[in-house]
């Protein structure tokens, strides 16, 4: 069951009004993928905002609502954890845990054990026991 449903609902409503930003000219050339790239050409129409009928540019004004900031799609807040002591200030009912990428296997196992004991939601709880 998702928590913070109201915040997620607000985020979804704002996202519906936001345009889908695609890479300029990606609809024209098959070699260009659709993922967003900022137009940087000197005379590029879209960069100069002289683009009737073309998609808009990515700008800060299209950002999501502040109340839904740092929320995972599950509704929990997303907290980056590097040490087992980082879990001490978090609330398992509201906060989720994402283990840092530079954390090794031994410390990762410690963090996961402590997080499961305190019933935290773990977003990336994978552990490689074989060391390869």
């Amino acid at each position: 069951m998702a928590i913070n449903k109201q915040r997620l609902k607000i985020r979804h409503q704002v996202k519906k009004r936001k345009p889908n930003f695609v890479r300029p000219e990606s609809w024209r050339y098959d070699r260009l993928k659709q993922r967003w790239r900022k137009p940087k050409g000197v005379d590029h129409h879209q960069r100069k905002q002289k683009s009737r009928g073309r998609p808009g540019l990515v700008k800060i004004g299209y950002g999501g609502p502040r109340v839904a900031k740092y929320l995972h799609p599950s509704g929990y807040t997303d907290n980056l954890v590097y040490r087992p002591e980082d879990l001490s200030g978090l609330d398992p009912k509201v906060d989720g845990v994402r283990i840092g990428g530079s954390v090794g296997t031994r410390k990762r196992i410690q963090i996961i054990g402590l997080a499961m004991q305190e019933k935290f939601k773990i977003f990336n709880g994978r552990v490689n026991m074989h060391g390869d």
Side-chain angles (χ1 to χ4, degrees), residues 25-42:
E25 302 292 322
S26 64
W27 52 86
R28 184 183 228 186
Y29 302 109
D30 288 336
R31 65 180 180 262
L32 297 179
K33 300 210 171 35
Q34 290 203 338
R35 63 178 172 260
W36 173 252
R37 290 289 182 267
K38 185 175 180 177
K40 295 179 179 161
V42 178

Side-chain angles (χ1 to χ4, degrees), residues 17-123:
R17 290 193 305 264
K18 181 183 72 72
N20 292 326
F21 297 108
V22 294
R23 182 176 183 171
E25 302 292 322
S26 64
W27 52 86
R28 184 183 228 186
Y29 302 109
D30 288 336
R31 65 180 180 262
L32 297 179
K33 300 210 171 35
Q34 290 203 338
R35 63 178 172 260
W36 173 252
R37 290 289 182 267
K38 185 175 180 177
K40 295 179 179 161
V42 178
D43 293 327
H44 201 288
H45 269 75
Q46 198 168 349
R47 185 192 63 79
K48 292 163 85 171
Q49 298 291 297
K50 295 184 177 179
S51 53
R52 289 195 190 107
R54 290 181 186 256
L57 292 175
V58 173
K59 294 180 186 171
I60 193 68
Y62 287 114
R66 190 171 287 175
V67 293
K69 202 169 183 184
Y70 306 117
L71 279 185
H72 189 264
S74 64
Y76 289 89
T77 59
D78 202 347
N79 297 288
L80 197 56
V81 174
Y82 290 98
R83 302 175 300 157
E85 298 86 48
D86 293 343
L87 295 173
S88 63
L90 303 177
D91 179 17
K93 293 179 181 174
V94 180
D95 299 322
V97 173
R98 181 179 310 279
I99 302 169
S102 61
V103 176
T105 304
R106 183 176 55 193
K107 196 171 282 189
R108 185 177 292 268
I109 292 171
Q110 291 175 357
I111 292 171
I112 289 174
L114 189 59
M116 288 176 69
Q117 183 180 351
E118 296 182 18
K119 297 184 177 163
F120 277 99
K121 171 87 170 164
I122 306 171
F123 299 133

